[in-house]
Amino acid sequence: MKKLFLLFAAALLAATCPAGVFAQFKIGGKKIDAGKLLNAGKDVAKAVTLNDEEIARLSRESVEWMDANNPVAADSTTYGARLKRLTEGITDADGLPLNFKVYLVTDVNAFACGDGSIRVFAALMDLMDDDELMAIIGHEIGHVVHADTKHAMKNAYLASAARNAAGAAEGSALARLSESQLGKVVAAFTDAQFSQKQEYEADEHGFEFCVKHGFDPYGMANSLDKLVELSKGAKASTVQKMFSSHPDSEKRAARMKEKADAYMAVQRQNR
Ligand SMILES: [Zn+2]
């Protein structure tokens, strides 16, 4: 879903954040080719082992890097207060403690990191109503709960290690990453391409998350619909290329609508 969110960034630049600040995924002005990085990672995957503890540390460092390099909304701001209100009482996911922050950036995106950090971008909040936003947050948490993020993080680190960290390539413990290496890891995992199966399962999680926390069961379906609609708007040509890499978004939306319909039917029967 992340790619799908990102592709609206250009189209919405003028309409959303006045500051026009993009999230910092790029180092030294160079765009990171996440696909290439991830492929490079596969080559050294056998040579390097990263245990869960090391991945957890890498997750924490990555989020610290993101928080330090992006404008974080204070709780007193409109964005900060809205997210705080929506996530009140949502403290953990399967025992993993959660923390939430808004980045005041124009990218249409959100991500969840393996350490339980959820980061929502202001431009996404502009687009989505409360239920849709919480469905997307639930979807991102799903990637963490299902360990998709852990694997993406690992691949991203391995890719970075393949290029730079000789120590890691020898199979030693996790090397301390330099600032720029960490940036590359962050870029690769926040832009990770998950499989269709992983996206379906994250959608399910988004749906369950809404039901569990009292949000609209149609939130997941509606948010996916909204993204599909936006891709057909006036600026469609600018997003066409990236959107074509997500041909199944409409199918995902339909699937989530069916799920919500079934849920509502049961609710009506039980009444
Ligand atoms: Zn996803």
Side-chain angles (χ1 to χ4, degrees):
M1 183 180 280
K2 299 199 176 73
K3 279 265 175 179
L4 186 54
F5 290 156
L6 280 169
L7 61 129
F8 297 108
L12 293 157
L13 184 59
T16 53
C17 262
V21 181
F22 280 101
Q24 294 298 306
F25 292 134
K26 295 158 194 159
I27 303 299
K30 284 185 188 145
K31 185 164 163 46
I32 308 295
D33 185 340
K36 214 180 227 173
L37 280 173
L38 293 175
N39 280 335
K42 278 176 201 145
D43 298 338
V44 290
K46 287 182 195 116
V48 184
T49 44
L50 277 185
N51 63 33
D52 283 0
E53 204 179 302
E54 288 167 333
I55 293 173
R57 201 189 93 196
L58 192 54
S59 299
R60 276 196 307 278
E61 286 182 8
S62 298
V63 168
E64 279 167 20
W65 188 92
M66 286 295 279
D67 287 352
N69 286 277
N70 287 288
V72 175
D75 284 350
S76 57
T77 62
T78 310
Y79 290 106
R82 181 180 170 205
L83 189 66
K84 197 175 158 57
R85 169 176 60 81
L86 291 174
T87 58
E88 197 85 68
I90 303 176
T91 53
D92 75 284
D94 289 3
L96 177 73
L98 301 175
N99 71 88
F100 301 87
K101 285 190 202 320
V102 181
Y103 292 160
L104 297 170
V105 293
T106 50
D107 313 46
V108 179
N109 212 343
F111 71 88
C113 198
D115 69 336
S117 298
I118 317 298
R119 299 294 179 264
V120 184
F121 297 7
L124 179 69
M125 295 180 73
D126 288 338
L127 279 181
M128 300 291 162
D129 69 22
D130 288 352
D131 298 299
E132 293 158 355
L133 187 65
M134 291 309 281
I136 289 166
I137 288 173
H139 172 104
E140 296 303 333
I141 292 172
H143 281 309
V144 170
V145 169
H146 303 144
D148 304 341
T149 308
K150 189 168 105 180
H151 293 131
M153 170 73 76
K154 188 171 175 176
N155 284 340
Y157 172 74
L158 294 175
S160 178
R163 290 184 168 191
N164 298 308
E170 286 158 17
S172 68
L174 179 65
R176 190 111 204 147
L177 294 182
S178 71
E179 177 92 338
S180 73
Q181 287 171 330
L182 198 51
K184 284 176 187 171
V185 169
V186 169
F189 99 86
T190 52
D191 203 21
Q193 289 262 17
F194 296 120
S195 71
Q196 188 190 57
K197 182 169 176 284
Q198 287 173 321
E199 292 301 348
Y200 276 16
E201 285 170 3
D203 286 345
E204 306 261 342
H205 193 276
F207 169 83
E208 302 291 348
F209 183 82
C210 282
V211 169
K212 181 178 172 190
H213 295 293
F215 292 94
D216 185 359
Y218 288 95
M220 194 75 250
N222 291 345
S223 66
L224 288 165
D225 264 343
K226 200 170 254 184
L227 290 171
V228 171
E229 276 311 305
L230 284 164
S231 74
K232 292 173 180 167
K235 300 281 175 82
S237 62
T238 60
V239 302
Q240 201 64 47
K241 190 167 157 259
M242 290 183 81
F243 188 71
S244 65
S245 67
H246 278 79
D248 59 337
S249 295
E250 284 182 55
K251 214 160 94 186
R252 282 169 56 194
R255 209 172 144 266
M256 284 301 109
K257 185 176 178 303
E258 259 173 49
K259 205 170 164 72
D261 286 343
Y263 173 81
M264 293 307 283
V266 171
Q267 294 298 107
R268 275 193 294 275
Q269 270 171 19
N270 292 344
R271 219 173 268 159

